[in-house]
Amino acid sequence: MRAQTSALRSKDLLGIEPLTPEEITLILDTAEGFKEVSERPVKKVPALRGQLVINLFMEASTRTRVSFEIAEKRLSADTLNFAASGSSVEKGETLIDTAANLMAMHPDMIVIRHKYPGAPRMLADRLPASIINAGDGSHEHPTQALLDAFTIRERLGRLSGVNVSIVGDIAHSRVVRSNIHLLTKMKANVTLAAPPTLIPAQVEEMGVRVVHSLDEALEGADVVMMLRIQLERQGKLSFPSLREYYNTFGLTGERLARAREGVLVMHPGPMNRGVEIASDVADGPASVILEQVTNGVAVRMAVLYLLAGGHLAE
Amino acid sequence: MRAQTSALRSKDLLGIEPLTPEEITLILDTAEGFKEVSERPVKKVPALRGQLVINLFMEASTRTRVSFEIAEKRLSADTLNFAASGSSVEKGETLIDTAANLMAMHPDMIVIRHKYPGAPRMLADRLPASIINAGDGSHEHPTQALLDAFTIRERLGRLSGVNVSIVGDIAHSRVVRSNIHLLTKMKANVTLAAPPTLIPAQVEEMGVRVVHSLDEALEGADVVMMLRIQLERQGKLSFPSLREYYNTFGLTGERLARAREGVLVMHPGPMNRGVEIASDVADGPASVILEQVTNGVAVRMAVLYLLAGGHLAE
Amino acid sequence: MRAQTSALRSKDLLGIEPLTPEEITLILDTAEGFKEVSERPVKKVPALRGQLVINLFMEASTRTRVSFEIAEKRLSADTLNFAASGSSVEKGETLIDTAANLMAMHPDMIVIRHKYPGAPRMLADRLPASIINAGDGSHEHPTQALLDAFTIRERLGRLSGVNVSIVGDIAHSRVVRSNIHLLTKMKANVTLAAPPTLIPAQVEEMGVRVVHSLDEALEGADVVMMLRIQLERQGKLSFPSLREYYNTFGLTGERLARAREGVLVMHPGPMNRGVEIASDVADGPASVILEQVTNGVAVRMAVLYLLAGGHLAE
């Protein structure tokens, strides 16, 4: 499908919720071109030469930070990592001072991860730089949803009408929120499966189906997206034990055999092998988990490029 | 004013004290040209291409390190961050070994921040690389004073005859020492204001006036420079309480109203809002605090460029 | 001596043990050319432009990491530092997941330091990228041995027939293992000297001579290589005291005077001055310790270049 639009309306990418289906398609189409760049011997285009991108990671992250940094370097941007530690930058008020100071150095873009939902918007409202949300609390993680969508579209040829089941810790996940927004906008059918304690109230109002068993979720699914159990985030487990969780919601080879031929298994990483997913499934033929990682670089290149004012040659 | 000289005499920038007024003017004139670079779409000049700058920060710093790193990248230098942590590099003797090892890798310049006054000179005496002092204990922080002077000159058109009042923790501040050297060399009139416990003995011998109330400092000032209360440096507070400090030396809108029309409010950052400065002043029309940050990149570009042997086209 | 070969057989550099003498000579010859690059005003060649090198340091290191990073930048590679901290990446199993994820982002090379011997091979067997071992537990540290050999060859004109005495903590050292492999392959004569508790059993089977006094080691030596006492690695000291160690195996000026005229003193760094080596020896005319550091950059440039498929112009 060709994009019906050739530019993003906003200077920022704060979430999937504000995007139109045309904008989503534009990003995915643009990412197709950039995926090829990462396969060349010289993995570099001059698109962002002389532009400064600050990676402002106020919450621990390696894989997302690394993926953004690679994307920036492949676009020839200058990159600067600013990993806040210590208390002075952990309060909302001081985030504004930190950002105002960074802004005074004229960066073109700021990629921000922050534990407070809305921190990226707070910056976007105040600063002329493009702000890219790399995960804000339990709110959104838009580039993750975009790379998931890219992977599905690349494998299945479309998003519309695809049955996507998302399984696991729905309540604590910004990944799932961004994915629900994206998949429903693109007319995919979304099913959520989790123990009742891990499903937020009224989530059906977002246009999704909720089931409470993994077998129901697998039935008819084209894609099954397993979420990470955020062991480090939950004050205490919302279910009896990891073993119990694995026995009821862990994706094993035996359970996966009940799904459709050709079903795709996805995971945003990092995986807890033996908790939400069995190793033979993670490494098996249905898994597209490492393709997601590869596609993450291409999607982030596309977002950076489009926000910098790039236009897709038609 | 045109610079009377076209090069710096030393290979290093260890402080303001050794500079002549002509050298200071050369740096400020050069920075004017570089300020414009940071406003271009392609914020980069090839001046230091293929040169290696090591940022050796042996004391925590984010804003100064970030400002230098951006300046280096805008000059196309290769940069390497070396943040020493742990005890092995904290003794003076081992600093020499660390530096000798770094030097053996042929860097062109080393930007150093260190808690010991004189650490940059120790390196400068032993190494052929250009050494730039990014703050050494309570000794000097020359690029801060240069960016302050740049900001005053840009706003007021001159340094000579300008009345600058510096208020706050004079005793613990390398920023104030560098500023006193610079401003007196450039024939500005400097007034220091602080509680007696925060003023070092015999400071008047540096050619400055000392007063003990903020109102006296504000009287006739063209510029009021508020210093950060270094809460983390003082073993214990040298004044009764933060509230008491704010009531007597904190710069509030009400107090500032007694100063001249057009007075400039400066602060080297990071600010303690509600301690040495009220938020409405920090963010108000008299404040040039964020301009200082912007000018910091330009001034550091100028210093790097001139030490690398650049000459200002006349 | 001219190299008899113009390429490395393996895509990886996991150790010295798998290399042929011709391959070692090829690396050293190639490094000669690169040493000159670091002495130019523009210290950069475009050899690896657009290639991505990930520095995966899972164990603390500054000097080796810095040396590799400088080598990569002088070859115009894009570099990315990934310093794992925390427990999730410290288990062998998870190293594979980490590496698979990094690999999915298409790096061309991964430089790895890891506390487990064999970690680099585990990656090399699974990933198409070139893996360079920057030190794996007590196994190998091949680029250190190569830079040592480069330094000896440059100073003495040959490796064959040179008498090299290695003194100190033989048992805990990956440096010494790589050096024994390299020096015996190149037909140098290797003598090891240490207290009995610091010599591993059956080490003579590697083709080396073992002595138990420093004077015996110095007798007839062309090169004396002092090893660092790894104070931080040993649960407890394997000898009575540091003072006792210095008195029996520390290299002092007085002891060195008994060695041949022109003997070279080497040390892989960082030195414990006053433990394994006296300061006047470390800084004296026989010392080539800082030359080793300089040569380290050239040797690492050669390794990166050759693994990237470079060929030495004949």
Side-chain angles (χ1 to χ4, degrees):
Chain A
M1 181 171 58
R2 268 300 166 92
Q4 302 299 303
T5 182
S6 65
L8 300 178
R9 292 167 306 151
S10 169
K11 73 174 177 61
D12 310 298
L13 179 68
L14 303 180
I16 298 297
E17 192 174 11
L19 296 181
T20 63
E22 290 72 27
E23 288 177 310
I24 293 168
T25 300
L26 173 65
I27 295 170
L28 301 182
D29 288 353
T30 305
E32 276 183 15
F34 283 121
K35 186 169 181 181
E36 181 267 326
V37 170
S38 292
E39 290 159 359
R40 295 183 196 165
V42 174
K43 300 171 182 63
K44 223 173 163 82
V45 292
L48 297 194
R49 208 182 75 77
Q51 298 212 19
L52 177 64
V53 184
I54 295 181
N55 298 308
L56 184 62
F57 278 68
M58 318 288 265
E59 200 185 53
S61 161
T62 39
R63 68 182 59 212
T64 302
R65 202 260 306 157
V66 164
S67 180
F68 268 108
E69 194 176 338
I70 292 176
E72 294 154 12
K73 286 180 169 165
R74 290 200 175 143
L75 293 168
S76 303
D78 284 323
T79 67
L80 195 135
N81 293 321
F82 187 98
S85 52
S87 59
S88 76
V89 290
E90 303 217 38
K91 287 185 297 176
E93 192 224 24
T94 316
L95 172 64
I96 294 174
D97 268 351
T98 301
N101 273 279
L102 290 175
M103 198 60 225
M105 301 186 206
H106 296 307
D108 296 280
M109 300 194 188
I110 297 175
V111 177
I112 179 174
R113 166 163 293 192
H114 202 282
K115 68 179 175 184
Y116 290 120
R121 171 167 299 282
M122 197 167 63
L123 297 195
D125 288 347
R126 282 167 176 77
L127 304 179
S130 287
I131 308 298
I132 300 175
N133 180 2
D136 60 333
S138 56
H139 175 229
E140 282 230 36
H141 187 0
T143 56
Q144 179 69 42
L146 286 161
L147 74 88
D148 291 339
F150 184 95
T151 307
I152 296 170
R153 198 181 79 156
E154 186 176 58
R155 280 298 197 115
L156 305 182
R158 68 188 201 291
L159 291 168
S160 173
V162 169
N163 298 320
V164 181
S165 290
I166 307 178
V167 181
D169 188 354
I170 310 292
H172 297 84
S173 174
R174 55 195 173 204
V175 171
V176 78
R177 285 180 59 86
S178 289
N179 260 305
I180 292 173
H181 285 304
L182 191 149
L183 293 167
T184 56
K185 278 174 197 279
M186 302 307 285
K187 306 199 185 309
N189 308 309
V190 180
T191 299
L192 306 180
T197 50
L198 293 180
I199 295 264
Q202 276 111 30
V203 72
E204 290 93 338
E205 294 171 11
M206 293 183 77
V208 299
R209 182 174 73 117
V210 173
V211 300
H212 292 293
S213 89
L214 179 53
D215 284 350
E216 277 183 275
L218 289 172
E219 175 89 31
D222 299 302
V223 175
V224 53
M225 198 180 282
M226 303 305 297
L227 297 176
R228 174 178 172 75
I229 293 292
Q230 306 268 10
L231 303 172
E232 66 282 9
R233 280 216 197 143
Q234 298 179 276
K236 58 187 193 326
L237 292 175
S238 305
F239 40 85
S241 75
L242 293 180
R243 170 58 45 195
E244 169 77 6
Y245 184 84
Y246 185 65
N247 288 339
T248 52
F249 283 93
L251 187 62
T252 60
E254 188 188 2
R255 283 219 184 84
L256 186 63
R258 295 177 212 159
R260 266 187 197 176
E261 183 74 27
V263 64
L264 303 182
V265 173
M266 301 178 77
H267 192 295
M271 292 183 278
N272 298 304
R273 291 166 179 264
V275 178
E276 71 264 2
I277 192 166
S279 266
D280 61 333
V281 174
D283 304 328
S287 168
V288 293
I289 294 170
L290 292 176
E291 286 176 40
Q292 289 173 271
V293 177
T294 298
N295 295 337
V297 175
V299 159
R300 289 173 179 123
M301 288 175 80
V303 167
L304 290 158
Y305 173 78
L306 290 167
L307 292 180
H311 297 272
L312 186 65
E314 294 287 318
Chain B
M1 182 171 56
R2 267 303 164 89
Q4 301 302 303
T5 182
S6 66
L8 300 179
R9 292 166 306 150
S10 169
K11 72 174 179 63
D12 310 298
L13 180 69
L14 302 180
I16 298 296
E17 192 176 10
L19 295 182
T20 64
E22 290 72 27
E23 288 177 312
I24 291 167
T25 300
L26 174 65
I27 294 170
L28 301 183
D29 287 352
T30 306
E32 277 183 16
F34 283 122
K35 185 168 181 181
E36 180 268 325
V37 170
S38 293
E39 291 158 359
R40 295 183 197 167
V42 174
K43 299 169 183 63
K44 222 174 163 82
V45 291
L48 297 195
R49 209 182 73 77
Q51 298 212 17
L52 177 64
V53 184
I54 295 181
N55 299 308
L56 184 62
F57 278 68
M58 319 286 265
E59 200 184 54
S61 161
T62 39
R63 67 182 59 211
T64 302
R65 203 260 305 155
V66 164
S67 179
F68 268 109
E69 193 176 336
I70 292 175
E72 295 154 11
K73 286 179 170 166
R74 291 199 173 143
L75 292 168
S76 303
D78 284 322
T79 67
L80 195 135
N81 292 321
F82 187 98
S85 53
S87 60
S88 76
V89 289
E90 302 218 36
K91 288 184 295 176
E93 192 223 27
T94 316
L95 172 65
I96 295 175
D97 268 352
T98 301
N101 273 279
L102 291 175
M103 197 60 225
M105 300 185 205
H106 296 307
D108 296 280
M109 299 194 189
I110 298 176
V111 177
I112 178 173
R113 167 162 291 191
H114 202 282
K115 68 176 172 184
Y116 289 120
R121 172 168 298 283
M122 197 166 62
L123 297 194
D125 288 346
R126 283 166 176 76
L127 304 181
S130 287
I131 307 299
I132 299 175
N133 181 1
D136 60 334
S138 56
H139 176 229
E140 282 230 36
H141 188 0
T143 56
Q144 179 69 43
L146 287 161
L147 74 87
D148 291 339
F150 184 94
T151 306
I152 296 170
R153 200 181 76 155
E154 186 176 57
R155 280 299 196 113
L156 304 183
R158 69 190 199 288
L159 290 168
S160 174
V162 169
N163 298 321
V164 181
S165 290
I166 308 179
V167 180
D169 187 355
I170 310 290
H172 296 84
S173 173
R174 54 195 174 207
V175 170
V176 79
R177 285 180 59 86
S178 289
N179 261 306
I180 292 172
H181 285 304
L182 191 149
L183 293 168
T184 54
K185 278 174 198 279
M186 302 309 284
K187 306 200 186 308
N189 307 310
V190 179
T191 298
L192 306 180
T197 51
L198 293 180
I199 295 264
Q202 276 110 31
V203 72
E204 289 93 339
E205 293 171 13
M206 293 182 77
V208 299
R209 183 174 73 116
V210 173
V211 299
H212 292 293
S213 89
L214 180 53
D215 284 349
E216 277 183 274
L218 289 172
E219 175 89 31
D222 300 303
V223 175
V224 54
M225 199 180 281
M226 303 306 295
L227 297 176
R228 173 178 174 74
I229 292 293
Q230 306 268 10
L231 302 172
E232 65 283 8
R233 281 216 195 143
Q234 298 179 275
K236 56 188 196 325
L237 293 175
S238 306
F239 39 86
S241 74
L242 293 180
R243 169 58 46 194
E244 169 77 5
Y245 184 85
Y246 184 65
N247 287 340
T248 52
F249 283 93
L251 188 62
T252 60
E254 188 188 0
R255 282 219 185 84
L256 187 63
R258 295 177 213 160
R260 265 188 200 177
E261 182 75 26
V263 65
L264 303 182
V265 173
M266 303 179 76
H267 192 295
M271 290 182 280
N272 298 305
R273 289 165 181 265
V275 179
E276 70 266 2
I277 192 167
S279 266
D280 61 333
V281 174
D283 304 329
S287 169
V288 293
I289 294 171
L290 292 175
E291 286 176 39
Q292 290 173 270
V293 177
T294 298
N295 295 337
V297 175
V299 160
R300 288 171 180 123
M301 288 175 79
V303 167
L304 290 158
Y305 173 77
L306 289 168
L307 292 179
H311 297 273
L312 186 65
E314 294 287 317
Chain C
M1 182 171 58
R2 269 303 167 89
Q4 302 299 303
T5 182
S6 65
L8 300 179
R9 293 166 305 150
S10 169
K11 73 174 176 62
D12 309 299
L13 179 68
L14 303 180
I16 298 296
E17 193 175 11
L19 295 181
T20 63
E22 290 73 27
E23 288 177 311
I24 292 167
T25 300
L26 173 65
I27 295 169
L28 301 183
D29 288 353
T30 305
E32 277 183 15
F34 283 121
K35 185 168 180 181
E36 181 268 324
V37 170
S38 293
E39 291 158 359
R40 295 184 198 166
V42 175
K43 300 171 182 61
K44 222 173 162 84
V45 291
L48 298 194
R49 209 182 74 76
Q51 297 211 19
L52 177 65
V53 183
I54 295 180
N55 298 308
L56 184 63
F57 277 69
M58 318 288 264
E59 200 184 53
S61 161
T62 38
R63 65 183 60 211
T64 301
R65 202 260 305 156
V66 164
S67 180
F68 267 109
E69 194 175 337
I70 292 175
E72 294 154 12
K73 287 180 169 165
R74 291 202 173 141
L75 293 168
S76 303
D78 284 323
T79 67
L80 195 135
N81 293 321
F82 187 99
S85 53
S87 60
S88 76
V89 289
E90 303 219 36
K91 289 185 293 176
E93 191 224 26
T94 315
L95 172 64
I96 294 174
D97 269 351
T98 301
N101 273 280
L102 291 176
M103 198 61 224
M105 300 184 204
H106 297 305
D108 296 280
M109 300 195 189
I110 298 175
V111 177
I112 178 174
R113 167 162 292 190
H114 201 283
K115 69 178 173 185
Y116 290 120
R121 171 167 298 284
M122 198 165 64
L123 298 194
D125 289 347
R126 283 167 175 77
L127 304 180
S130 287
I131 307 298
I132 299 175
N133 181 1
D136 60 333
S138 56
H139 176 228
E140 282 230 36
H141 187 0
T143 56
Q144 178 69 43
L146 286 161
L147 74 87
D148 291 339
F150 184 94
T151 306
I152 297 170
R153 200 182 77 156
E154 186 175 57
R155 280 297 196 115
L156 304 182
R158 69 191 201 288
L159 291 168
S160 173
V162 170
N163 298 320
V164 181
S165 290
I166 307 178
V167 181
D169 187 354
I170 311 291
H172 297 84
S173 173
R174 54 197 174 205
V175 170
V176 78
R177 285 180 59 88
S178 289
N179 261 307
I180 292 173
H181 285 305
L182 190 150
L183 293 167
T184 56
K185 277 174 198 280
M186 301 309 283
K187 305 200 185 309
N189 308 309
V190 180
T191 298
L192 307 180
T197 50
L198 293 179
I199 296 265
Q202 276 112 31
V203 72
E204 289 92 340
E205 293 172 12
M206 293 182 78
V208 299
R209 183 173 74 115
V210 174
V211 299
H212 292 294
S213 89
L214 179 53
D215 284 349
E216 277 184 275
L218 288 172
E219 174 89 31
D222 299 303
V223 176
V224 53
M225 199 180 278
M226 302 306 296
L227 298 176
R228 174 177 171 76
I229 293 293
Q230 306 267 9
L231 302 172
E232 66 284 8
R233 280 215 197 144
Q234 298 177 276
K236 57 185 189 331
L237 293 175
S238 306
F239 41 86
S241 75
L242 292 180
R243 170 57 46 192
E244 169 77 6
Y245 184 83
Y246 184 63
N247 287 340
T248 52
F249 282 93
L251 187 62
T252 60
E254 188 189 1
R255 282 219 185 84
L256 186 63
R258 295 178 211 160
R260 268 188 197 175
E261 184 72 28
V263 65
L264 303 181
V265 172
M266 302 179 76
H267 192 296
M271 291 182 280
N272 298 305
R273 290 167 181 263
V275 179
E276 70 265 2
I277 192 166
S279 266
D280 62 333
V281 174
D283 304 328
S287 169
V288 293
I289 294 171
L290 292 175
E291 286 176 39
Q292 289 174 272
V293 177
T294 298
N295 295 336
V297 176
V299 159
R300 288 172 179 123
M301 288 176 80
V303 167
L304 290 158
Y305 174 77
L306 289 167
L307 292 180
H311 297 273
L312 185 65
E314 293 286 320

